[in-house]
């Protein structure tokens, strides 16, 4: 039975990945989820699996070397799937320090603990071990509106404190691959959307505000482009890379689904209007009048677009969920989980929203 150490499993992508893995492998695998439960971590995301015998949650900070070493000492870990990070660009612009702390130094702690547990006396590593570092397309910087793409060979050119911290963490992982032949892979994925995403990010924020009849804040001219991928397609890609990739390889993950922000916002409004029954009183305010242009994000990257050619040809991964289906599934999930939304938007979120958008 393979044992996975998942970091940041109480967050958006991590919790979807854990659901994906138990759906796929059932009792054939064991997962240990390590998460510090920052504002972005929510055990409610995993309430349906918390009673499983092959699942364990450990509350710990990835920067806490002793706590992480103890997990490796007490368990024979086969896979590390490293999601834990500070993940929101706007927060990084306001408070960069914690991004360097968690994303760079926390990754270093994870690498050192895995290396210590897996390294043999001759400097090679126990066979079958794998460390997957989950990273982002933002490390490549910003593209022109000229049809170009990010490839694995595109030079790094991060602009925000968030993307700079992720780029740094990628470089540290690469240095362990190059120096020690440490059995790691790096994946750089485009923007994810789906269930359990915290409403500081564009799609859940727009869904929630539309349902509440609140203004929909569009940064700048609304024409920045992001390349959207349904989160379960990302989970599948991570699993396939863990099982099929050669150690040391790096893969871009994306599904050629580039859209301007304003297009995304209008699609969400149209889809919610279509999905709400006529008898629902919220339907009266679901229209484009909610759209409000606000001051642009500082250093706002113009366009992201992933070339997923390498993961397709070497790993055989293809995205399965078309955006028109994924966005309906996502909106339906938020319709059905309004209690989840209420829990995460009470308290500190109100303060964040007020400071960010006033
Ligand atoms: P998220 O913010 O929803 O979740 C992050 C999780 O990490 C939370 O559960 C949080 O509690 C935990 N965490 C934060 N600091 C920690 C620490 N010091 N120790 C232990 N746990 C800590 O993030 P997400 O959107 O799920 O992103 C997960 C990973 O995927 C990140 O590394 C991010 O850079 C990367 N990524 C995200 C996207 C996206 O569109 N969301 C796309 C590509 C890559
Ligand atoms: O590309 C992958 C990255 O995608 C991940 O690495 C990050 O963790 C993740 O947060 C995401 O970063 P973005 O900055 O692209 O996502 P966000 O949802 O914050 O914003 C998407 C676009 O929408 C971006 O151009 C900014 C814009 N935006 C965002 C918000 C929150 C708005 O216009 N209004 C808003 O209120």
């Amino acid at each position: 039975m393979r044992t996975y150490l998942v970091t940041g499993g109480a967050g958006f992508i991590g919790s979807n990945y854990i659901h994906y893995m138990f759906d796929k492998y059932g009792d054939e695998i064991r997962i240990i989820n390590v998460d510090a439960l920052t504002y972005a971590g929510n055990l409610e995301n995993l309430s349906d699996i918390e009673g499983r015998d092959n699942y364990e949650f450990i509350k710990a900070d990835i920067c806490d070397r002793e706590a992480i070493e103890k997990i490796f000492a007490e368990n024979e870990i086969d896979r590390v799937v490293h999601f834990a990070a500070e993940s929101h660009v706007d927060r990084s612009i306001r408070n960069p320090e914690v991004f360097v702390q968690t994303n760079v130094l926390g990754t270093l702690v994870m690498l050192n603990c895995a290396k210590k547990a897996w390294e043999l006396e001759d400097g090679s590593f126990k066979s079958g071990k794998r460390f997957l570092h989950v990273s982002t397309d933002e490390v490549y910087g910003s593209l022109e509106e000229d049809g170009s793409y990010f490839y694995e060979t595109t030079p790094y050119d991060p602009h925000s404190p968030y993307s700079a911290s992720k780029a740094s963490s990628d470089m540290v992982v690469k240095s362990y691959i190059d120096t020690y032949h440490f059995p790691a892979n790096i994946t750089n994925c485009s923007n994810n959307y789906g269930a359990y995403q915290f409403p500081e990010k564009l799609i859940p924020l727009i869904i929630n505000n539309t349902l509440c009849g609140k203004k929909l804040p569009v940064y700048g001219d609304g024409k920045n482009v992001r390349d959207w991928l349904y989160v379960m397609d990302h989970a599948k890609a991570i699993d396939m890379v863990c099982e099929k990739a050669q150690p040391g390889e790096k893969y871009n993950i994306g599904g050629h689904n580039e859209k301007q922000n304003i297009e995304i916002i209008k699609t969400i409004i149209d889809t919610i209007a279509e999905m709400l029954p006529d008898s629902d009183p919220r339907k009266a305010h679901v229209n484009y009048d909610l759209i409000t242009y606000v001051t642009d994000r500082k250093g706002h990257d113009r366009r992201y677009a992933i070339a997923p050619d390498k993961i397709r040809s070497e790993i055989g991964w293809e995205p399965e969920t078309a955006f028109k289906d994924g966005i309906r599934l996502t909106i339906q999930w938020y319709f059905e989980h309004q209690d989840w939304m209420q829990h995460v938007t009470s308290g500190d979120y109100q303060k964040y929203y007020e400071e960010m958008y006033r």
Side-chain angles (χ1 to χ4, degrees):
M1 185 192 262
R2 283 197 299 270
T3 297
Y4 289 73
L5 177 55
V6 174
T7 70
F12 163 51
I13 307 177
S15 59
N16 277 286
Y17 169 79
I18 292 175
H19 281 110
Y20 175 86
M21 293 297 281
F22 281 134
D23 282 350
K24 177 166 180 192
Y25 295 105
D27 292 336
E28 289 169 28
I29 58 165
R30 187 171 156 243
I31 295 181
I32 301 170
N33 172 18
V34 180
D35 197 300
L37 299 182
T38 68
Y39 78 93
N42 184 357
L43 289 181
E44 215 178 324
N45 299 358
L46 297 159
S47 54
D48 54 332
I49 60 133
E50 67 189 5
R52 293 187 76 106
D53 290 339
N54 56 343
Y55 171 75
E56 184 183 353
F57 172 70
I58 298 173
K59 185 172 186 300
D61 190 320
I62 55 163
C63 301
D64 180 347
R65 187 175 51 82
E66 272 179 34
I68 303 299
E69 261 182 8
K70 185 164 179 276
I71 298 169
F72 277 96
E74 290 174 356
N75 300 277
E76 185 61 51
I77 303 294
D78 300 298
R79 306 271 184 276
V80 174
V81 183
H82 178 38
F83 294 99
E86 288 291 333
S87 70
H88 191 40
V89 174
D90 292 326
R91 288 188 194 252
S92 82
I93 294 166
R94 300 165 80 89
N95 181 21
E97 284 86 351
V98 68
F99 283 74
V100 174
Q101 181 71 29
T102 289
N103 299 2
V104 186
L105 299 179
T107 298
L108 187 65
V109 169
M110 292 307 304
L111 287 166
N112 282 337
C113 292
K115 180 171 176 287
K116 187 173 168 191
W118 294 346
E119 199 168 25
L120 298 170
E121 277 186 8
D122 65 358
S124 67
F125 291 90
K126 291 181 185 171
S127 72
K129 304 296 185 187
R130 200 55 69 91
F131 186 111
L132 193 137
H133 176 61
V134 180
S135 192
T136 170
D137 60 358
E138 298 199 14
V139 298
Y140 299 118
S142 182
L143 294 166
E144 301 294 321
E145 288 150 347
D146 60 358
S148 55
Y149 292 103
F150 294 138
Y151 290 87
E152 287 78 2
T153 49
T154 302
Y156 277 23
D157 184 21
H159 297 130
S160 71
Y162 162 70
S163 53
S165 69
K166 292 297 290 189
S168 308
S169 67
D170 290 14
M171 291 299 178
V172 178
V173 176
K174 181 179 179 302
S175 77
Y176 275 55
I177 295 169
D178 294 346
T179 307
Y180 309 111
H181 301 294
F182 181 74
N185 295 100
I186 300 171
T187 54
N188 297 87
C189 190
S190 62
N191 286 63
N192 284 213
Y193 69 98
Y196 304 108
Q197 189 168 26
F198 193 78
E200 63 188 352
K201 307 284 164 58
L202 181 72
I203 287 186
L205 186 145
I206 295 299
I207 295 173
N208 186 43
N209 283 17
T210 304
L211 287 172
C212 297
K214 282 171 69 175
K215 289 180 177 172
L216 308 180
V218 185
Y219 298 166
D221 65 2
K223 292 185 179 163
N224 298 67
V225 171
R226 296 294 182 265
D227 184 356
W228 295 94
L229 183 72
Y230 190 57
V231 64
M232 284 301 183
D233 282 328
H234 187 187
K236 180 181 158 195
I238 288 171
D239 180 40
M240 290 180 76
V241 169
C242 273
E243 299 319 312
K244 294 189 171 183
Q246 291 300 315
E249 290 295 326
K250 169 177 168 43
Y251 293 93
N252 284 355
I253 306 174
H256 281 306
N257 184 43
E258 290 173 48
K259 297 203 185 298
Q260 290 185 341
N261 295 334
I262 191 65
E263 200 184 337
I264 292 285
I265 292 168
K266 287 182 174 169
T267 301
I268 292 173
I269 297 170
D270 292 343
T271 313
I272 290 180
E274 202 185 299
M275 289 171 75
L276 280 178
D278 288 340
S279 56
D280 193 309
R282 292 173 298 182
K283 202 159 180 165
H285 63 238
V286 177
N287 58 57
Y288 292 175
D289 292 345
L290 294 173
I291 294 172
T292 310
Y293 287 86
V294 301
T295 311
D296 206 355
R297 175 184 277 174
K298 289 190 174 91
H300 198 174
D301 287 338
R302 190 62 175 172
R303 174 174 167 258
Y304 302 149
I306 281 278
D309 308 25
K310 183 177 173 188
I311 192 168
R312 277 201 174 128
S313 62
E314 289 186 11
I315 305 292
W317 173 85
E318 293 276 352
E320 290 175 12
T321 314
F323 186 74
K324 66 174 177 32
D325 302 324
I327 198 69
R328 284 186 85 87
L329 287 171
T330 303
I331 292 171
Q332 185 64 36
W333 187 88
Y334 284 100
F335 277 174
E336 289 166 5
H337 293 81
Q338 287 179 39
D339 49 342
W340 182 94
M341 186 59 89
Q342 266 161 16
H343 298 161
V344 302
T345 53
S346 62
D348 285 351
Y349 179 81
Q350 297 298 333
K351 194 165 161 264
Y352 164 80
Y353 197 90
E354 171 61 26
E355 282 175 8
M356 181 69 209
Y357 293 99
R358 76 176 151 220

